[in-house]
Amino acid sequence: GVKIATIGGGSSYTPELMEGFIKRYEELPIREIWLVDIEAGKEKLEIVGNMAQRMWDASPYEVKIHMTLDREEALKDADFVTTQFRVGLLEARIKDERIPAYYGMLGQETNGAGGMFKAFRTVPIILEIVEDMKRLCPDAWLINFANPSGMVTEAVVRYGKWDKVIGLCNVPVMAQMVEPEMLGKQPDELIYKFAGLNHFHWHKVTDAKGKDVTQELINKMYEGDETGMPKNIHDIPFPREILEQMQMIPCGYHHYYYQEEETLAHALEEYETIGTRAQQVKQTETELFELYKDPNLDYKPEQLSQRGGAYYSDAACESIASIYANKNTQLVVSTKNDGAVPDLPADCVVEVSAYIGGQGARNVAFGELPTAERGWLQVMKAMELLIIEAAVTGDYNTALQAFTINPMVRSGKTAQRIMDELFIAHKEHLPNF
Ligand code: NAD
Ligand code: G6P
Ligand code: MN
């Protein structure tokens, strides 16, 4: 049987992961799941771990849930390691969102100043996990969900020198769920090609006969349909002229770039009225854990779909099942480029459509991007590489360069002040700086 180790097991998303594994048990016969957390998440781990065990007990399968604060014990001989931890918990995310916003800039979980600091906190931990894996489970696959997912995956490959890694996100999952409906098609009647970076990708769609239907989809997007946007993203229409020009569908986070003025204004207003996203999520999380405490609840409650990461298990569990059973399912993953996106170096991590099998991801070639998108993509990858380098070396000047070229940060004295304040606010989680 298969051993799974989940780092950050106390996450409120864990029941969704269990649901995905239960659904796939016949092709992925799991024997044991180890949920790992830290002292600060002990109570969450206990509640959600018991809930997870009840879900398996209600299924026809015998799977044991182990809860532990000992990462090494969990990693020993694991076949798959999934990572869904949040260094500093939601309190850290509130600081990422609040401090830049105080100066009129974007603080967001994965974008702007907030996203860069989440990377600073997360990269050192993921590299520790990789070192543990080299000793304790050298044949295991790492399935990363911890954000910023693309940068974390890049750090694993570039600095961890670990290639058996797949980075995931639910944004492409949701797009591929909703868009077939918009076109009146079944999901298997459409063929998708995604390319870019995590939270910075575009996609094109053809029908089963190879006819490009991206323009049809663009038309539908302006008819007021549900566009498959995660709950945390403000859904305003993109400038239609740009979509018509590039003949690709941007991802939700592109609103921050194509319409910085509108999206930032919306975010800042929301922060002042109903609170930052982390503050809203705290409320949802409290409600979820109240539900999870119910000894009669043995299935994933509906309320979990209020979280932005809903449906991520479709990507996580399917990639694990695809590797295990060499299924060659097509998914969108963060993985080494290898030429799929020729506008970026072959050795960097990109988010692309890929066939997932026993040997990992085999990327679908996307080809060159239009001029404007290529420029943006190259800047964003440079920013990511600087952030990861700074996270590893602790070099302040490298961090400042990343801040300066990040399109969501207005360069200058204020930007540096924001960075300095974030360094102070997050001191305890930034041992390298
Ligand atoms: P959360 O705040 O519930 O954190 C999950 C758990 O991680 C907590 O129980 C916490 O105690 C634990 N943790 C913190 N540091 C740890 C460490 N060093 N080792 C082990 N466990 C540790 O977070 P969440 O809202 O469930 O999100 C979890 C992660 O998944 C975040 O990084 C979030 O950004 C990410 N996420 C990714 C996507 C995606 O599309 N890839 C979607 C949603 C969330
Ligand atoms: C999805 C993304 C995640 C993101 C999350 C936030 O949009 O794919 O990567 O960070 O939702 O969700 P939350 O409910 O925590 O705001
Ligand atoms: Mn994501």
Side-chain angles (χ1 to χ4, degrees):
V2 172
K3 174 175 178 179
I4 310 267
T6 298
I7 319 285
S11 164
S12 64
Y13 286 108
T14 295
E16 174 161 340
L17 196 62
M18 296 305 122
E19 185 187 65
F21 284 142
I22 290 169
K23 209 159 62 180
R24 290 170 181 80
Y25 183 87
E26 302 296 342
E27 55 188 23
L28 180 70
I30 294 176
R31 185 183 69 234
E32 52 192 309
I33 300 175
W34 289 70
L35 302 178
V36 187
D37 216 287
I38 51 170
E39 192 61 41
K42 203 171 161 183
E43 205 188 326
K44 287 173 68 180
L45 177 67
E46 172 95 22
I47 295 167
V48 86
N50 288 329
M51 162 88 198
Q53 185 66 67
R54 290 196 299 275
M55 289 178 74
W56 282 105
D57 292 347
S59 82
Y61 315 116
E62 251 179 69
V63 170
K64 173 92 176 108
I65 301 291
H66 299 263
M67 299 164 234
T68 181
L69 304 187
D70 181 352
R71 188 168 73 206
E72 300 203 346
E73 184 190 19
L75 290 179
K76 182 95 188 74
D77 301 325
D79 298 291
F80 293 93
V81 177
T82 74
T83 40
Q84 50 175 37
F85 58 93
R86 181 192 295 286
V87 181
L89 292 147
L90 284 171
E91 290 305 320
R93 179 171 171 190
I94 295 176
K95 295 174 187 172
D96 281 345
E97 293 169 340
R98 274 283 165 212
I99 293 172
Y102 185 71
Y103 295 98
M105 292 196 211
L106 184 75
Q108 207 272 335
E109 163 143 272
T110 61
N111 287 268
M116 291 187 282
F117 267 80
K118 190 166 181 3
F120 287 159
R121 298 192 298 277
T122 313
V123 165
I125 305 292
I126 199 76
L127 292 178
E128 275 178 22
I129 292 170
V130 168
E131 289 313 309
D132 284 355
M133 287 177 70
K134 288 176 184 167
R135 283 185 295 117
L136 299 164
C137 52
D139 295 327
W141 277 86
L142 174 56
I143 310 295
N144 176 64
F145 179 63
N147 268 321
S149 178
M151 284 195 251
V152 170
T153 306
E154 175 89 57
V156 167
V157 173
R158 188 170 294 269
Y159 292 96
K161 306 263 181 262
W162 184 275
D163 281 335
K164 286 185 301 263
V165 58
I166 303 254
L168 294 174
C169 177
N170 65 324
V171 169
V173 174
M174 292 183 79
Q176 293 173 93
M177 270 171 60
V178 172
E179 289 173 1
E181 269 177 54
M182 290 167 74
L183 295 175
K185 302 262 188 204
Q186 294 300 315
D188 63 2
E189 292 177 300
L190 294 178
I191 297 162
Y192 276 87
K193 273 214 282 195
F194 282 75
L197 304 176
N198 178 236
H199 293 185
F200 205 85
H201 59 250
W202 299 267
H203 66 270
K204 297 193 272 211
V205 197
T206 71
D207 68 14
K209 293 203 168 73
K211 178 176 160 265
D212 196 310
V213 293
T214 310
Q215 181 59 52
E216 271 177 58
L217 200 52
I218 293 172
N219 296 341
K220 287 284 176 194
M221 287 172 78
Y222 296 92
E223 288 172 16
D225 291 30
E226 164 73 48
T227 52
M229 206 65 84
K231 297 282 186 203
N232 63 312
I233 306 177
H234 180 48
D235 196 358
I236 43 171
F238 282 105
R240 187 166 185 163
E241 300 84 341
I242 292 180
L243 268 56
E244 305 257 349
Q245 162 75 22
M246 68 180 176
Q247 289 294 307
M248 300 191 294
I249 312 290
C251 79
Y253 290 93
H254 271 126
H255 283 298
Y256 289 115
Y257 301 85
Y258 286 105
Q259 292 139 300
E260 178 175 356
E261 189 182 0
E262 292 80 3
T263 322
L264 183 58
H266 176 268
L268 296 179
E269 200 213 272
E270 201 173 278
Y271 289 6
E272 290 323 309
T273 48
I274 51 174
T276 72
R277 178 67 188 171
Q279 289 172 308
Q280 297 171 39
V281 163
K282 247 184 139 171
Q283 181 63 37
T284 310
E285 196 180 84
T286 307
E287 286 165 26
L288 282 170
F289 276 89
E290 276 312 308
L291 292 171
Y292 296 166
K293 279 181 195 161
D294 178 355
N296 295 314
L297 187 71
D298 56 14
Y299 57 89
K300 180 189 83 180
E302 173 50 33
Q303 283 89 330
L304 190 52
S305 64
Q306 292 311 308
R307 290 300 303 276
Y311 308 110
Y312 89 97
S313 71
D314 279 334
C317 302
E318 190 58 29
S319 36
I320 293 174
S322 297
I323 292 171
Y324 181 79
N326 194 25
K327 286 172 68 182
N328 294 303
T329 311
Q330 197 187 312
L331 295 168
V332 179
V333 296
S334 279
T335 184
K336 209 192 259 187
N337 184 5
D338 279 338
V341 187
D343 297 317
L344 289 176
D347 70 344
C348 74
V349 167
V350 292
E351 191 157 288
V352 285
S353 297
Y355 292 93
I356 311 300
Q359 45 125 17
R362 282 181 296 122
N363 304 349
V364 175
F366 190 86
E368 288 176 358
L369 290 164
T371 311
E373 283 59 45
R374 179 181 68 217
W376 241 340
L377 187 65
Q378 292 175 343
V379 168
M380 289 294 280
K381 180 43 84 178
M383 180 276 297
E384 287 194 357
L385 293 176
L386 290 165
I387 285 295
I388 301 161
E389 185 188 332
V392 170
T393 60
D395 187 66
Y396 179 92
N397 298 359
T398 306
L400 186 58
Q401 274 205 308
F403 255 66
T404 304
I405 68 165
N406 190 316
M408 284 311 301
V409 175
R410 256 188 339 272
S411 60
K413 245 189 289 187
T414 309
Q416 191 166 3
R417 184 170 308 144
I418 292 173
M419 195 178 88
D420 290 344
E421 275 194 35
L422 283 165
F423 271 125
I424 294 166
H426 292 304
K427 202 171 184 341
E428 61 173 315
H429 299 298
L430 300 175
N432 290 349
F433 283 97

